[in-house]
Amino acid sequence: MDLISLDRIRAAHDRTELALGPRSAPLAGGTWLFSEQQPGLDELVDLTTLGWPAIEQTSAGLTLAATCTIRSLADLPPVPGWQSQHLVQECARSLVASEKIWDWATVGGNICVALPAGALTSFAVALDATAVVWTPDGGERREPVASLVTGVRTTALRPGEVLRSVEVAADVLPQPVAFRRVALTRHGRSGAIVVGRRDDAGGLVVTLTAGVTHPHRLAFPTMPTTDELSAAVDAVDDWYDDPHGAPDWRRAMTLRLAEQVREELA
């Protein structure tokens, strides 16, 4: 879609050119920005010209640039020891988008748009990923992706801040995960997503997305019983309501999927 309200698209080549005004927005893949009118914007600032490496593997773990495309992440060759790498494909396919979109849609864009069914939000929260945020004063801060997304289309990003990257710690990569998703129709938007991860101490971390207005991370120091897991899910009180699923259905499906994840990882 043509954005006729825009005055310019500005390419940033270093951090000094990254300044965002009140009517500016960062541009990476643009798959959401160009999907509808943006009447509150005069300027887009292109992040892809900064030359950030899409994916970096070090002894500390995995770093994904905010400009890393879903295609780059999905096509990453097998990483030794990354037992949960299959989660990339499972989350990416829950986007319910043509694989052509994968060539442009980015990790940072998918997280920062903050839609309940954000596939890369599910991926990042499930792996306890940390968001590296560049602040307008030249500094940076770190925040769990689980708390970066605060609601439907809202984040904890402050004016002028830009998501620089997402980091997954090395000790999380070998931990096994289980993924479940449900939608009202076979190819419909995700109604509920549940990802479980068994940690090194035998505990369970359960991530709820799509069916709720923001990600929920339920952590248990040991493998929970069915009743303990059900009680934790029942304590959630922000079930999402839209044409892709009513709150009571999303709750019921999340309970079912959570138990399936628990059984698989127990």
Side-chain angles (χ1 to χ4, degrees):
M1 174 180 290
D2 292 334
L3 301 183
I4 58 176
S5 66
L6 291 180
D7 291 330
R8 59 192 170 277
I9 297 179
R10 177 165 55 84
H13 297 95
D14 57 45
R15 190 163 180 178
T16 62
E17 299 178 344
L18 195 53
L20 298 175
R23 295 179 61 84
S24 304
L27 168 67
T31 53
W32 176 78
L33 276 171
F34 287 96
S35 70
E36 60 183 58
Q37 292 295 327
Q38 305 292 339
L41 297 180
D42 296 332
E43 175 188 63
L44 298 179
V45 181
D46 191 349
L47 304 183
T48 63
T49 50
L50 287 162
W52 296 336
I55 302 171
E56 298 175 279
Q57 301 173 48
T58 69
S59 59
L62 200 65
T63 297
L64 310 176
T67 51
C68 173
T69 64
I70 294 173
R71 171 70 63 199
S72 296
L73 184 57
D75 288 353
L76 183 67
V79 175
W82 188 4
Q83 192 167 338
S84 60
Q85 192 167 356
H86 60 90
L87 187 61
V88 175
Q89 287 278 348
E90 290 171 316
C91 286
R93 295 195 181 281
S94 72
L95 274 168
V96 195
S98 163
E99 288 198 19
K100 293 179 181 178
I101 299 297
W102 294 12
D103 295 334
W104 294 97
T106 62
V107 172
N110 190 258
I111 291 171
C112 291
V113 169
L115 295 174
L120 275 300
T121 301
S122 303
F123 166 83
V125 175
L127 297 185
D128 278 348
T130 298
V132 179
V133 178
W134 275 5
T135 56
D137 61 1
E140 69 178 33
R141 64 182 182 88
R142 283 171 160 74
E143 179 168 352
V145 176
S147 60
L148 185 75
V149 177
T150 58
V152 180
R153 298 285 309 279
T154 64
T155 71
L157 290 172
R158 301 159 191 156
E161 290 188 333
V162 172
L163 178 61
R164 165 60 180 89
S165 58
V166 172
E167 298 177 339
V168 181
D171 59 353
V172 173
L173 297 178
Q175 297 174 355
V177 302
F179 174 91
R180 294 292 188 279
R181 170 189 175 270
V182 69
L184 285 175
T185 60
R186 181 177 180 184
H187 298 295
R189 182 177 295 180
S190 300
I193 293 176
V194 178
V195 185
R197 176 171 52 85
R198 192 176 71 237
D199 64 26
D200 295 335
L204 184 68
V205 178
V206 177
T207 298
L208 313 180
T209 54
V212 285
T213 62
H214 64 88
H216 284 261
R217 181 185 183 277
L218 311 177
F220 304 87
T222 59
M223 188 61 62
T225 65
T226 297
D227 289 344
E228 289 170 337
L229 180 56
S230 295
V233 174
D234 275 334
V236 173
D237 62 0
D238 64 311
W239 300 103
Y240 193 43
D241 186 10
D242 75 350
H244 301 284
D248 58 346
W249 176 79
R250 292 181 193 266
R251 174 187 170 278
M253 291 299 99
T254 298
L255 282 165
R256 176 182 295 182
L257 299 182
E259 176 57 20
Q260 292 175 4
V261 162
R262 188 196 71 84
E263 290 178 351
E264 180 174 332
L265 294 174

